Amino acid sequence: MIQEKTEKSELMLFGIPASPGIAHGCVFRFLHDEVQVATYEVSESDQEEEIKRFLEALEMTKSEIREIREDVAKNLGEKEAGIFDAHMLVLEDRALIEDVKKEIKESGQNVEKCVHRVTEKYLAFFDQLEDKYLRERAVDLRDISRRLQRCLSGTTASGTAFLDEPKVLVSEDLTPSDTAALDRSKILGIATDLGGQTSHAVIMARASGVPAVVGLRSLTDKLCDGDELLIDGFEGVTIINPSETTLFRYGKVDVQRRKLLNLVGEESSLPAQTLDGKKLDIWANADTPEEVSKALKLGCLGVGLYRTESLFLRTNSLPSEDYQYQEYLKMVKSSGDQTLTIRTLDLGGDKILNGWNQQKEANPFMGFRAIRYCLSNPNVFLDQLRAILRASAHGNVRILLPMISGIGEVVRAKELIAEAKEELSRRGETYDPAIKIGCMIETPAAVAICDLLAEESDFFSVGTNDLVQYLLAVDRVNNEIAFLYEPHHPAVLRSLKQVAKVASAKGIPVTVCGEIAGDPHFLPLLIGLGFDSFSASAAMVSEMKFFARRFSQDDVEKITLDAESKQRPSEVKELIKNFYEDRISEASVPR
Ligand code: PEP
Ligand code: MG
């Protein structure tokens, strides 16, 4: 529950802890790329002035696009810069320009509203076209319309590149594509009104070590310009305008945490094993070559999860086969001799491209997502599969299929992989003909039929972020019910145990790759439930190894028995938290 309490002039708000750490600094209010469209009446005598504003905004937008085009051509190449030629064509379209002028005269309203109305009319037209290429042009038009609106209103884009000093980012909500566009070196911490612990924006914040608190409900309403904010990502607390005393108290927490991280850092090159020598496989969840290199330096076995949708979100497009191949190749090269597990596209849910021409869904997480989208759009899927296969010629690559809920999806995906291989053979391109294909186990259906899925899979990866939401019927990004999102729930523990047991009986390698895999508290319990392979963000790997060296198989058995005897998630949570704190505080006492 969210409570509030005032302390002198400071204001404390309680939300959901999303990424550990303490941050303090000036507030930067992050605005979504969506622009508010002003609406007002314009007298007949002022209409020419409105038309002039429109033409000036067009010119301003064109010069912005020219600059971006040059930048992209220099950094990514002529081909990628080509998409901005399409933007220029929209801006020079006589019919569109005339329509806006006509709308200004006929409606008697301001130019912003008229541009909005005309572009929405065009977008509705694009939406109902059969031709996929033409339908996708709607994305260009939407982007142009936003730019035009920004030029008209004189506001800048919502990015962080222009910040001159690092700040605490505050927003109503953050989407993964917002987060992908942020310059992380300019962000001290993140606090949002909405969101849940495993929303993808939060996962990205955690991977980059940025403290975050979400689900604060009314934080943005309570902030004024020039306010400072303190974020406690351990407890899920934020304090507006903290007093000196508060800063001192949190400073001490921060110092303690840093002390622990220093100890952890000193041991980061030691192997991943328990006190009595049981070996653990620690993989990395990594989406960029830099993250891969960092993880391998920490002794990770390879990449257990590369979420390829991050590439789609970064470019806000469906990138071509060649573009994807170049990106996957960079990931393969950074992985060296180690395995790179490339998960096929998992768009949908909270991972939506800006301006994506997709129908609004009532239940996006249960809707047109991941493998469902890919199997319905075989051309998009085949582009990706060919790009992955081409990259597989240069290293050890595995393919991982997301959100599997039935055997038919795996069989169909494998048919398309075979088709992609045939096409590459026809073209004379090389690939790994024996590439391994695995399934995400992240729906209750997949848990129930994992014996059947084992017949069609080379490996499993357990996605607990989704498994928890589907098993407990708790939307992972809805802060109203975030208190019900409980990975400690007996239903989750029983499901995990079942997957580990079946995978072991079938001889299928299995890794846990959801956020709990990187939460050190869970480590002994997951081992006790039958897992010895974990894929986590590089930011968590050293702490996991540090903790693993402080408990034995006896501890594992005891804590697992204890946890399985509990009826309530809160009891399990307390049990594993106390055990972690005991062992860590013993380790932190100077000897
Ligand atoms: C998961 O669901 O646990 C998972 C790893 O996938 P994602 O978080 O990308 O949905
Ligand atoms: Mg998932």
Side-chain angles (χ1 to χ4, degrees):
M1 277 307 284
I2 296 173
Q3 315 149 32
E4 291 171 22
K5 100 175 171 201
T6 41
E7 239 179 59
K8 297 182 193 156
S9 61
E10 69 180 21
L11 179 66
M12 190 180 266
L13 298 177
F14 294 83
I16 303 161
S19 174
I22 307 286
H24 169 231
C26 289
V27 164
F28 162 60
R29 280 170 181 273
F30 180 87
L31 298 172
H32 284 281
D33 257 359
E34 297 298 340
V35 195
Q36 299 300 321
V37 180
T39 308
Y40 51 89
E41 304 299 313
V42 171
S43 65
E44 216 176 317
S45 57
D46 285 339
Q47 283 179 353
E48 281 310 314
E49 186 54 31
E50 288 300 285
I51 291 175
K52 193 166 150 246
R53 282 180 60 218
F54 170 53
L55 296 177
E56 282 169 1
L58 272 182
E59 286 313 310
M60 219 189 299
T61 310
K62 280 199 243 174
S63 83
E64 268 187 14
I65 302 269
R66 259 182 236 114
E67 269 177 44
I68 299 173
R69 192 197 185 289
E70 267 171 40
D71 257 14
V72 173
K74 206 160 58 199
N75 296 318
L76 291 176
E78 238 342 275
K79 187 160 170 259
E80 280 67 30
I83 61 164
F84 295 101
D85 295 336
H87 287 201
M88 281 308 241
L89 287 180
V90 175
L91 286 166
E92 282 163 0
D93 188 295
R94 295 297 330 153
L96 182 104
I97 297 172
E98 290 309 316
D99 271 1
V100 173
K101 286 184 182 171
K102 195 161 152 239
E103 187 68 27
I104 292 174
K105 291 198 167 135
E106 287 178 359
S107 71
Q109 286 185 310
N110 59 317
V111 54
E112 288 87 347
K113 187 68 193 174
C114 295
V115 167
H116 180 71
R117 201 176 291 123
V118 171
T119 48
E120 286 301 311
K121 190 176 82 188
Y122 277 59
L123 284 168
F125 170 73
F126 277 124
D127 256 1
Q128 43 86 37
L129 291 178
E130 288 287 311
D131 185 310
K132 179 169 164 276
Y133 176 81
L134 284 177
R135 265 204 331 264
E136 280 167 9
R137 301 288 53 81
V139 177
D140 297 336
L141 180 58
R142 208 178 284 281
D143 200 13
I144 286 298
S145 149
R146 280 203 198 98
R147 270 181 200 288
L148 256 176
Q149 292 289 0
R150 275 204 299 271
C151 286
L152 283 165
S153 63
T155 54
T156 45
S158 55
T160 42
F162 64 89
L163 284 181
D164 45 11
E165 60 177 65
K167 295 201 167 162
V168 176
L169 185 148
V170 172
S171 175
E172 253 181 44
D173 195 11
L174 274 185
T175 66
S177 51
D178 290 334
T179 319
L182 297 176
D183 175 351
R184 320 256 169 107
S185 67
K186 302 263 176 73
I187 304 293
L188 295 169
I190 295 177
T192 62
D193 289 346
L194 304 174
Q197 228 162 18
T198 55
S199 62
H200 285 92
V202 162
I203 292 174
M204 287 154 97
R206 209 175 292 138
S208 40
V210 175
V213 177
V214 299
L216 287 152
R217 289 190 186 189
S218 54
L219 172 71
T220 50
D221 285 347
K222 296 195 159 54
L223 284 169
C224 302
D225 284 346
D227 276 346
E228 287 186 10
L229 193 67
L230 185 140
I231 289 185
D232 173 358
F234 300 109
E235 301 296 331
V237 173
T238 58
I239 302 170
I240 302 175
N241 296 326
S243 66
E244 287 301 317
T245 324
T246 302
L247 285 177
F248 180 72
R249 182 156 43 87
Y250 276 97
K252 286 212 317 215
V253 177
D254 200 22
V255 166
Q256 254 174 354
R257 173 76 182 164
R258 281 175 206 280
K259 237 163 71 187
L260 173 64
L261 291 182
N262 277 341
L263 287 174
V264 166
E266 281 167 19
E267 293 189 15
S268 67
S269 58
L270 295 181
Q273 60 185 45
T274 60
L275 188 58
D276 50 350
K278 180 186 166 64
K279 295 247 176 299
L280 303 176
D281 287 349
I282 311 272
W283 302 73
N285 292 352
D287 299 345
T288 62
E290 295 72 35
E291 284 177 359
V292 177
S293 310
K294 192 169 150 198
L296 295 186
K297 278 195 200 114
L298 295 171
C300 284
L301 208 61
V303 175
L305 176 64
Y306 167 25
R307 293 176 163 100
T308 54
E309 57 279 5
S310 63
L311 177 65
F312 290 59
L313 293 167
R314 266 202 309 273
T315 57
N316 193 31
S317 67
L318 300 174
S320 66
E321 175 192 323
D322 277 342
Y323 185 82
Q324 290 185 61
Y325 164 62
Q326 293 300 340
E327 293 297 309
Y328 301 154
L329 190 58
K330 286 183 211 158
M331 291 291 281
V332 171
K333 296 246 160 91
S334 314
S335 304
D337 295 333
Q338 307 308 114
T339 299
L340 171 69
T341 311
I342 305 185
R343 188 175 71 181
T344 60
L345 189 57
D346 183 4
L347 280 179
D350 62 345
K351 292 180 276 196
I352 302 287
L353 300 177
N354 276 337
W356 199 26
N357 191 18
Q358 203 201 7
Q359 242 185 333
K360 271 244 175 298
E361 296 181 279
N363 295 300
F365 273 107
M366 295 211 278
F368 199 44
R369 190 189 159 189
I371 196 74
R372 300 170 180 182
Y373 169 80
C374 287
L375 295 182
S376 297
N377 290 278
N379 290 338
V380 175
F381 198 29
L382 283 166
D383 275 351
Q384 177 171 51
L385 292 173
R386 285 193 300 270
I388 297 174
L389 285 163
R390 283 166 64 190
S392 74
H394 305 272
N396 297 318
V397 173
R398 307 192 293 184
I399 296 179
L400 177 58
L401 305 169
M403 217 198 160
I404 295 298
S405 58
I407 197 88
E409 289 163 336
V410 188
V411 171
R412 180 66 189 132
K414 285 168 82 174
E415 283 168 7
L416 288 167
I417 293 170
E419 200 177 313
K421 286 180 180 174
E422 277 166 29
E423 164 73 13
L424 291 179
S425 300
R426 266 197 300 277
R427 287 195 216 155
E429 306 232 35
T430 48
Y431 55 86
D432 173 5
I435 192 162
K436 296 219 172 349
I437 302 166
C439 289
M440 288 289 291
I441 305 293
E442 54 182 348
T443 64
V447 172
I449 59 162
C450 61
D451 56 329
L452 307 179
L453 293 175
E455 304 297 330
E456 293 290 340
S457 316
D458 296 309
F459 65 98
F460 285 160
S461 195
V462 187
T464 51
N465 303 336
D466 277 315
L467 185 56
V468 172
Q469 81 162 339
Y470 295 129
L471 207 52
L472 307 183
V474 177
D475 183 341
R476 69 195 259 192
V477 299
N478 185 338
N479 58 303
E480 294 294 333
I481 47 165
F483 66 99
L484 291 172
Y485 186 93
E486 294 174 306
H488 313 83
H489 197 292
V492 177
L493 306 190
R494 290 179 191 187
S495 301
L496 290 176
K497 190 171 182 175
Q498 185 185 342
V499 174
K501 192 169 151 208
V502 172
S504 157
K506 293 276 181 184
I508 297 275
V510 58
T511 299
V512 184
C513 71
E515 289 303 286
I516 64 169
D519 178 347
H521 295 183
F522 268 97
L523 194 55
L525 180 53
L526 290 175
I527 297 173
L529 293 172
F531 298 96
D532 58 8
S533 180
F534 307 96
S535 192
S537 119
M540 300 313 297
V541 167
S542 300
E543 199 174 331
M544 288 165 69
K545 293 201 292 180
F546 183 84
F547 183 40
R549 280 191 302 278
R550 281 155 181 87
F551 61 80
S552 66
Q553 192 57 25
D554 278 353
D555 295 319
V556 162
E557 281 164 22
K558 185 169 173 313
I559 204 162
T560 309
L561 260 181
D562 248 11
E564 287 183 313
S565 71
K566 306 284 185 213
Q567 296 184 354
R568 290 164 201 276
S570 55
E571 296 170 314
V572 177
K573 187 173 181 178
E574 197 176 305
L575 176 76
I576 61 176
K577 184 167 177 265
N578 288 345
F579 179 67
Y580 171 84
E581 280 172 2
D582 268 10
R583 296 300 161 101
I584 289 294
S585 63
E586 276 171 27
S588 317
V589 175
R591 272 167 272 181

